[in-house]
Amino acid sequence: MEINLTSDTITRPSKEMLDAMRKASVGDDVFKQDPTVNLLEKELSRLFGKESSLFFPSGTMANQTAIKINTEPGDQLICDSNSHVYNYEAGGASFNSGVSCRLIFGDQGRIFSHQIKEVINPQDFYHSPKSKLICLENTSNRGGGAFYDFKEIIKIKELAIKNDLKLHLDGARLWNALEETTEKPKDYGDIFDTISVCFSKGLGCPVGSALIGNKEDMEKALRIRKVFGGGMRQSGYLAAAALFALEKNRSRLKKDHMRAKEIASALNKLSFMKSIEPVSTNIIIFSLISEKTETKFVNLLKEKNIHIISLGKGKLRIVTHHDYTEKHHEYFLNFIKKINL
Ligand SMILES: *Cc1c(COP(=O)(O)O)cnc(C)c1O
C-alpha cells in the first residue's frame, strides 16, 4: 500500500469523474464553442455572484493573469512573505507584469489591515513604486492551511477602497476555507476584484483552475490567457471534471480536515517533535528536533511507502486529500503511534 501525503494535487480522477468527463459535450474553446466550458464558467459566475469567469489550465496562470490585469509595469503588489504568488510562481509577477512585491510578515500566511496600512506608498510620492494591488491567499499553503476571519477581509477591503487599491484572492484552496466557515462564495465575490480557484487540489480534478471577476476584467483576462499560451481547445473534458467536483467533492473536504487534525495530534505525542503549526484544514506543517531526526523520520516513512514533503528550513509538510482513504488513515495513525527513533 502506497500512502502519498505530499500534496492534494496528486489525486487521480475517480471512476465517476472519468465517466462525467467521457460524456462531456465539447467544442473548440478558443472559439468559445465548448458548451461544457461555457457551462462551468456560467456556474462559477453564478456561484460567486460575479459577471464573468474564465477556465484556466493552472492556478499559476490564473493568478498571473489577475496580477497582469490589475497592475501596470512599475507598480507594486502587497502580499504575505509566504504567499504562492511570491514564492512559487517562478518570479512571474516581475517577469510577466513588471511589478515588485512588498512583503508582509503575517501570521500563517495571513496579513492584516493594520500591517497593510503601514506599507502602502503615498500615491503622490512619485519616488516610490505605486501600490496597486493586495493579494490575499485563502487558505494559505505555506501558512499550513490557515484561513482568514472574514471580518479581517472586510477591513482590508475598506482599506483598499480608501487607497484605491485592487484586491485579488488566491483561492486555490478557498473550497477548504468555505467548508470550515459560514461564508458563501458570493461573500467573497462581493469583496474581491478577482478570485482564482483550483479544481486540481482538494476537489480531486486532474487539471483546472478558474479566474472570476467583472466583465471588463475578464475580457482583458481572455486576451492575457491567450498571450500566456493558455487558450485550450476541447477543454470541456476538463471542465466536466470541475463541474462534477463542484457538485460532489466539496462537502467531503471536512473529512480531510478531520483526518489532518487526527494526524497532528498523533504526531504531537512523538518525543522528537519540535513544533506543529495549528491545523485548520488539510495541511500539517511541523518540525522535528534536529536535521538528523528529520532525515531518519522521512526515510523510515519512505521504507513503509509513505511519502511526505520537506519545505526546507527544517519544515515538513503533510497534506490530506481525496485519495487518502480511511484505510490509509488507520494504517498511518497506527504507524505513527509505533515510531521509535
Ligand atoms: C497550488 C496553488 C496555486 C496554483 O498552482 P498550480 O500548480 O499552478 O495550479 C496557487 N496558489 C496556491 C496557494 C496554491 O497552493
Side-chain angles (χ1 to χ4, degrees):
M1 181 158 62
E2 189 197 29
I3 302 181
N4 191 336
L5 291 160
T6 54
S7 174
D8 47 9
T9 54
I10 61 101
T11 58
R12 288 171 177 81
S14 64
K15 188 186 163 298
E16 292 75 21
M17 184 180 276
L18 281 172
D19 283 343
M21 293 168 76
R22 203 177 290 119
K23 283 187 203 140
S25 16
V26 297
D28 190 334
D29 182 54
V30 172
F31 295 113
K32 289 264 131 219
Q33 285 167 357
D34 188 297
T36 310
V37 173
N38 292 342
L39 186 65
L40 172 66
E41 290 176 348
K42 207 169 141 203
E43 171 58 14
L44 287 168
S45 305
R46 187 198 64 77
L47 198 57
F48 284 87
K50 285 278 204 211
E51 287 170 354
S52 192
S53 310
L54 206 53
F55 190 46
F56 274 80
S58 74
T60 298
M61 197 191 280
N63 281 338
Q64 288 301 314
T65 299
I67 294 171
K68 187 72 186 166
I69 61 180
N70 283 315
T71 61
E72 298 289 332
D75 289 346
Q76 191 161 67
L77 72 80
I78 298 167
C79 64
D80 184 78
S81 65
N82 279 313
S83 63
H84 196 278
V85 291
Y86 176 69
N87 289 284
Y88 297 133
E89 300 190 4
S94 50
F95 189 93
N96 298 315
S97 302
V99 303
S100 55
C101 298
R102 179 64 195 252
L103 301 181
I104 291 180
F105 295 83
D107 170 47
Q108 284 200 289
R110 295 165 299 197
I111 54 178
F112 301 92
S113 54
H114 66 90
Q115 294 178 303
I116 300 171
K117 198 171 167 192
E118 277 170 28
V119 304
I120 298 173
N121 291 326
Q123 296 288 346
D124 54 357
F125 190 66
Y126 64 84
H127 305 277
S128 46
K130 201 179 200 174
S131 307
K132 194 63 160 291
L133 171 67
I134 304 168
C135 292
L136 304 185
E137 190 175 307
N138 202 24
T139 69
S140 164
N141 178 349
R142 251 187 96 89
F147 55 81
Y148 275 87
D149 178 345
F150 202 71
K151 287 194 214 86
E152 191 58 39
I153 293 181
I154 293 170
K155 273 197 218 162
I156 294 171
K157 176 65 176 179
E158 284 163 4
L159 186 68
I161 292 174
K162 215 162 145 193
N163 291 278
D164 201 18
L165 302 178
K166 291 292 187 76
L167 198 52
H168 170 66
L169 176 65
D170 177 350
R173 292 189 184 81
L174 182 62
W175 313 116
N176 296 79
L178 286 166
E179 285 307 311
E180 292 297 321
T181 54
T182 54
E183 280 77 36
K184 298 279 168 270
K186 208 178 159 303
D187 298 317
Y188 286 87
D190 286 345
I191 297 251
F192 288 90
D193 294 291
T194 48
I195 299 173
S196 66
V197 292
C198 285
F199 306 107
S200 54
K201 298 198 166 155
L203 295 192
C205 294
V207 178
S209 292
L211 189 64
I212 303 143
N214 69 29
K215 191 165 170 285
E216 195 186 335
D217 279 345
M218 290 305 105
E219 275 165 10
K220 287 184 198 159
L222 182 61
R223 179 175 285 271
I224 303 303
R225 189 185 68 174
K226 185 72 173 149
V227 172
F228 288 167
M232 297 183 284
R233 303 295 178 174
Q234 285 71 36
S235 38
Y237 292 115
L238 301 174
L243 280 164
F244 176 90
L246 279 177
E247 194 191 327
K248 308 275 187 197
N249 288 351
R250 277 195 281 165
S251 60
R252 66 155 302 288
L253 290 170
K254 271 216 158 72
K255 232 184 264 178
D256 294 346
H257 303 171
M258 195 186 71
R259 286 174 183 150
K261 283 181 184 139
E262 285 168 3
I263 293 170
S265 96
L267 288 172
N268 223 350
K269 295 193 181 96
L270 296 172
S271 58
F272 50 88
M273 185 60 51
K274 189 171 154 202
S275 62
I276 303 192
E277 287 178 27
V279 175
S280 319
T281 53
N282 67 328
I283 302 176
I284 307 148
I285 294 181
F286 60 103
S287 18
L288 305 184
I289 46 169
S290 72
E291 216 173 290
K292 223 169 105 189
T293 315
E294 182 184 317
T295 312
K296 262 182 160 169
F297 180 71
V298 174
N299 286 340
L300 186 68
L301 292 181
K302 230 184 248 164
E303 277 169 30
K304 289 279 166 192
N305 219 3
I306 300 168
H307 305 278
I308 70 170
I309 210 172
S310 161
L311 298 179
K313 294 187 182 156
K315 282 186 176 179
L316 294 171
R317 190 184 77 172
I318 285 175
V319 187
T320 56
H321 52 76
H322 183 279
D323 294 0
Y324 177 68
T325 62
E326 190 55 33
K327 208 169 116 197
H328 292 147
H329 189 51
E330 278 168 22
Y331 180 87
F332 186 46
L333 286 181
N334 265 326
F335 178 70
I336 296 173
K337 280 175 200 156
K338 281 186 239 137
I339 295 180
N340 205 348
L341 288 186

